[in-house]
Amino acid sequence: MRTIRTRKHTAALGAVTAVLALALTACGGGDETGTKSAGSADNAASAGASTDAGQPSDATKATGTSKADSTAQNTGATKTGTSKTSTSKGGSTASGNTSDSYAYKHPCKSSDLSVRVYPREGSATQQVIEVNNTGANSCGLSYFPRVSLGASKASDHSGDITPAVPGGLGGAPAYPVKPKTAAIAVIDLNPSGGNGLTWINEMNVLADGDHMPNADTQNFELGPDVKVRDPKLGLYRGTVADAVSSMKSAGKS
């Protein structure tokens, strides 16, 4: 009986030992699996952290491209601003030189002038000679235009009439005319209003007799029934009224 108990006890201990071994094996395998799983997760996280630190992700790259585009747009706006400043300078340069000192050194050119002749309002014998500066800079004219009166169809103009002009001239080297401004002279064809020459029907005007060639002379028809006698011509002035005053002093020294 004692031997049987011993065998049963031994068998029971063996069974318990086998169960414990199985349990330990199961626990060891589970720990290893869990460790590998944790290790994989840690490695993935570490790899992700390394990727973030070393180079931008796709999302970061997209954001970086957007910033670059924004920077490019700002650069473009700055260039546009520079262009506007440059354009502004161009307009300033185009305004030209309008000083009198510049005009004294630069005689007017016929290509920069337009000349008009028309009757003075309120007078039957006076004509206004208006010389407009159409150029970009100031320029200088002689003190008065060179004027002669004759017949438009005449082959010989040696007999044309020249008006009297004011005497005692002196001062500035030229009459300055600013851009978009007119120099005005007035001629009275018949100051006394008496009988005069009736064959004259044309006025010949050279805006600057000191610097321009005769070829730049312009011809203007006079109205019908014109009578010319002792004509008087004034100096260039800025207004018709001042030009009339100058004309009245013509012929006086």
Side-chain angles (χ1 to χ4, degrees), residues 21-35:
L22 290 173
L24 288 173
T25 300
C27 289
D31 290 342
E32 184 178 357
T33 304
T35 302

Side-chain angles (χ1 to χ4, degrees), residues 22-227:
L22 290 173
L24 288 173
T25 300
C27 289
D31 290 342
E32 184 178 357
T33 304
T35 302
K36 288 182 178 178
S37 176
S40 300
D42 291 342
N43 290 338
S46 176
S50 175
T51 301
D52 291 341
Q55 60 182 9
S57 64
D58 292 341
T60 305
K61 289 180 181 178
T63 303
T65 302
S66 177
K67 288 181 179 178
D69 292 342
S70 177
T71 302
Q73 290 175 359
N74 290 337
T75 302
T78 302
K79 288 181 179 178
T80 301
T82 302
S83 176
K84 287 182 180 179
T85 302
S86 177
T87 301
S88 177
K89 289 181 180 180
S92 177
T93 301
S95 64
N97 194 314
T98 61
S99 66
D100 288 353
S101 59
Y102 184 89
Y104 296 150
K105 299 177 181 178
H106 296 81
C108 295
K109 300 178 181 179
S110 293
S111 57
D112 290 333
L113 301 176
S114 67
V115 182
R116 295 177 58 209
V117 172
Y118 53 90
R120 180 197 167 208
E121 186 177 357
S123 173
T125 60
Q126 296 177 10
Q127 298 280 326
V128 177
I129 302 170
E130 182 182 294
V131 180
N132 292 275
N133 180 1
T134 60
N137 301 307
S138 291
C139 61
L141 291 170
S142 52
Y143 289 161
F144 53 87
R146 180 186 293 173
V147 176
S148 64
L149 304 164
S152 59
K153 295 182 180 181
S155 57
D156 180 8
H157 289 276
S158 60
D160 286 2
I161 306 299
T162 56
V165 296
L169 303 179
Y175 180 83
V177 191
K178 297 183 184 300
K180 308 300 183 290
T181 304
I184 297 173
V186 170
I187 182 173
D188 194 330
L189 302 177
N190 190 349
S192 65
N195 291 328
L197 301 173
T198 58
W199 55 269
I200 294 176
N201 61 2
E202 183 180 67
M203 182 187 302
N204 309 303
V205 179
L206 183 61
D208 187 338
D210 293 341
H211 302 97
M212 294 180 180
N214 290 333
D216 289 339
T217 300
Q218 298 186 42
N219 312 110
F220 300 90
E221 291 185 7
L222 297 174
D225 302 325
V226 172
K227 297 178 181 181

